[in-house]
């Protein structure tokens, strides 16, 4: 799965491109639902600030904690 880091400006370019609707808006930025992301990476190349990356297990935990704050 992929994640969106703090560089996200909430421009929304990625939102309509996700085929599984795994991208959602948080308070300050967009996030990706790890459980429904199918790893297609359509969102990554279209991000104008390069804020979308492939996650590893440590990143998944870190961003779930951040999104709960």
């Amino acid at each position: 799965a992929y994640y969106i880091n703090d560089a996200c400006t909430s421009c929304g370019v990625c939102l309509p491109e996700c085929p599984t609707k795994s991208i959602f808006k948080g308070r300050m930025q967009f996030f990706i639902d790890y459980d429904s992301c199918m790893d297609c990476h359509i969102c990554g190349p279209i991000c104008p600030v390069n804020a979308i990356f492939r996650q590893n297990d440590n990143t998944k935990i870190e961003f779930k904690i951040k999104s709960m704050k």
Side-chain angles (χ1 to χ4, degrees):
Y2 287 80
Y3 73 95
I4 301 174
N5 71 14
D6 291 342
C8 176
T9 60
S10 296
C11 70
V13 171
C14 60
L15 194 60
E17 301 302 321
C18 181
T20 57
K21 307 298 182 211
S22 298
I23 300 172
F24 63 96
K25 184 160 175 52
R27 282 188 290 163
M28 302 294 285
Q29 71 181 62
F30 283 86
F31 293 93
I32 295 176
D33 178 358
Y34 311 112
D35 296 326
S36 63
C37 175
M38 65 181 208
D39 292 330
C40 68
H41 197 53
I42 291 171
C43 56
I46 63 167
C47 178
V49 294
N50 298 316
I52 302 174
F53 295 90
R54 182 155 180 74
Q55 74 180 17
N56 60 37
D57 289 336
N58 292 334
T59 305
K60 184 175 184 177
I61 293 166
E62 175 188 342
F63 278 89
K64 279 196 173 188
I65 291 169
K66 278 187 175 183
S67 67
M68 288 190 267
K69 290 183 180 180

